[in-house]
Amino acid sequence: MARRLLDLTRTVARAGRLTPGAIDRTERAWAARLSADPEARFLVSAGPRHLLLDGAGAQTLIAALESGEELPPADLRGAFSPWKTERQRRADSLARRLSLGMGEDLTALLAAQPGRWTYLNMAQAQLDAARLKALRAGGARRAVAMAHDLVALERPELTRPTEPTRLLAFLAAAGLCDGLIYASRETAEIAARGLESPPPGRLAPPGVTPLPTPSGADADDAAEAEGAFVMLGAIEPRRNHLAMLWIWRRLWDELGDAAPRLFILGRRASESEMVQDILDRSPMAGRIVFERSELSDAQVAGRLSVACALLAPSFAEGSGLAVAEALTLGCPVLAADIPALRAAGGETPEFIDPLDLPEWLEAILAYAHPAEDGPDRRGAQLGRLAAWQPRAWADHFAEVDDFLEEIGA
């Protein structure tokens, strides 16, 4: 079997973010798995330089990043990266200290490590024809990439203007690989429409890592969301925050401070100016609608575990990680009736057309104030939740391993 070379560039580049997204969690899960393999290596590219880590180095790096604690001071090279945040500079520097070797010539760097290699890119990033050519020249006999989220190629109005161009470049490079892993059926279908001759592929949705149980200050802090509704994820057009805020404006007009509370957990992304204006200037902001960004996993888990329900009214998603994480914590979910969220939630959530605002309002009120003499919709979902089982990472790994064996990787 060929030695594994996992690309960890995204993990280091996004070191400044406390809450990893679905793609980040996939790359880290693979790093945790392969770090136990003494033959595996891990590639990090920062600017023109590339470096390789062994399993022990990757394990130390991931543990430091996931701890949320302050990283060691940046080295001299890191100090001269003014376009990066302080935590990114420190992460780059830590990776360099842990590396087996580094240099600007990727081919020579890999060639210095003997053996046949299978390059794994599980983060839908840092993939282009030049990188693949250099890796193959250095000894990579197979290259396998994972496609997570290609929605912007067919719904460009729901994302930032540069995203379709970036994804087209990724898809072109992915077509040069020896195999493709797909996070969802929808992603596989979009790739099939975008590639004239796609390489062999396999559907292997990522697993779900349970969020950590909050304790101490995190638990006390999370109590603010008890009985409230929660939205989780970056604030961007496809997440449909605006529709929920229109609903909450009506609740504010009719009920004032007695209205159900809404917590929006996620950073502000581009193309969401109207949502940001409401969060900044509406009289309901800070009264019944609250914004929380850059929360740790434990802080997110704390709020979900005491919430009335998670609201996921997205128009499109590459995966339904937020839905799966909420259900794993025992939090009911009201979700948009779209394929990615149905795949993530199964039969447990209630699904509503993302454009059917009257039904969303009715469901929100039914969950906030169950009728004494009518059906208890939230109670019924809690009953279904008792049988909920998140997807195991072992299933994902087994499916990918089978595929790698199939293509000789």
Side-chain angles (χ1 to χ4, degrees):
M1 184 179 73
R3 301 172 71 183
R4 305 304 192 211
L5 174 65
L6 178 68
D7 203 313
L8 270 185
T9 301
R10 180 185 172 101
T11 291
V12 177
R14 291 167 62 89
R17 296 188 179 176
L18 287 178
T19 308
I23 299 177
D24 304 305
R25 294 191 194 281
T26 300
E27 187 172 270
R28 292 185 182 191
W30 273 93
R33 187 197 190 207
L34 293 178
S35 63
D37 179 0
E39 295 294 309
R41 294 292 181 265
F42 304 83
L43 173 65
V44 177
S45 299
R49 283 184 169 262
H50 312 278
L51 56 90
L52 287 177
L53 291 82
D54 61 10
Q59 200 169 49
T60 300
L61 177 63
I62 295 294
L65 296 179
E66 290 186 340
S67 71
E69 297 178 1
E70 188 173 3
L71 299 175
D75 58 20
L76 187 61
R77 186 181 300 278
F80 286 94
S81 304
W83 61 91
K84 295 184 177 182
T85 67
E86 177 61 23
R87 187 168 176 80
Q88 286 174 321
R89 289 194 289 270
R90 292 185 175 214
D92 286 348
S93 300
L94 178 58
R96 282 191 287 272
R97 293 189 188 103
L98 296 169
S99 69
L100 300 173
M102 67 182 77
E104 295 187 11
D105 188 335
L106 180 55
T107 295
L109 185 64
L110 184 57
Q113 303 286 320
R116 294 187 308 115
W117 293 95
T118 292
Y119 168 71
L120 300 175
N121 185 311
M122 296 298 184
Q124 196 174 287
Q126 292 292 328
L127 190 68
D128 55 49
R131 190 177 188 82
L132 289 172
K133 182 179 180 181
L135 288 165
R136 293 188 192 280
R141 299 293 181 257
R142 292 285 187 270
V144 176
M146 185 166 183
H148 291 262
D149 184 352
L150 302 176
V151 168
L153 293 178
E154 298 191 346
R155 301 290 300 274
E157 73 277 11
L158 297 178
T159 188
R160 57 186 180 274
T162 58
E163 189 67 1
T165 301
R166 187 186 74 82
L167 289 179
L168 281 173
F170 164 78
L171 200 57
L176 302 175
C177 290
D178 301 286
L180 281 177
I181 307 296
Y182 299 110
S184 69
R185 193 169 304 279
E186 185 177 17
T187 298
E189 291 170 353
I190 295 174
R193 290 191 287 269
L195 290 170
E196 288 187 10
S197 301
R202 178 68 60 87
L203 176 64
V208 177
T209 304
L211 295 178
T213 302
S215 60
D218 286 339
D220 294 339
D221 184 51
E224 66 174 2
E226 185 168 0
F229 292 86
V230 169
M231 294 184 74
L232 177 60
I235 300 173
E236 53 187 352
R238 67 162 150 182
R239 297 266 155 74
N240 205 13
H241 287 82
L242 189 58
M244 296 300 101
L245 289 174
W246 288 135
I247 288 175
W248 251 265
R249 179 68 211 206
R250 178 172 174 178
L251 292 170
W252 168 257
D253 290 342
E254 295 183 0
L255 302 173
D257 288 323
R261 291 167 300 132
L262 172 65
F263 282 82
I264 295 175
L265 314 182
R267 62 183 178 82
R268 295 186 179 190
S270 60
E271 310 303 311
S272 58
E273 288 76 11
M274 185 174 289
V275 171
Q276 294 178 33
D277 285 343
I278 294 172
L279 294 174
D280 288 338
R281 297 160 52 192
S282 172
M284 66 181 178
R287 302 282 291 277
I288 63 168
V289 174
F290 305 88
E291 179 186 9
R292 301 287 185 264
S293 61
E294 297 302 329
L295 298 180
S296 68
D297 281 346
Q299 290 171 320
V300 170
R303 285 162 176 80
L304 286 174
S305 64
V306 300
C308 180
L310 173 79
L311 304 180
S314 299
F315 292 118
E317 288 287 355
S319 72
L321 178 63
V323 167
E325 288 179 336
L327 293 174
T328 302
L329 288 165
C331 178
V333 174
L334 297 174
D337 193 359
I338 60 175
L341 299 189
R342 278 199 172 272
E347 300 299 319
T348 301
E350 282 199 48
F351 293 99
I352 305 170
D353 187 308
L355 292 175
D356 191 350
L357 267 61
E359 177 57 26
W360 279 97
L361 175 58
E362 182 179 327
I364 288 165
L365 291 174
Y367 273 58
H369 306 290
E372 295 182 3
D373 56 351
D376 181 356
R377 292 170 63 170
R378 185 173 187 272
Q381 184 173 163
L382 287 172
R384 298 192 297 274
L385 249 173
W388 164 258
Q389 288 293 328
R391 177 170 167 81
W393 277 108
D395 294 336
H396 167 79
F397 293 139
E399 290 162 0
V400 174
D401 286 346
D402 181 68
F403 176 65
L404 294 178
E405 184 177 350
E406 183 180 296
I407 64 173

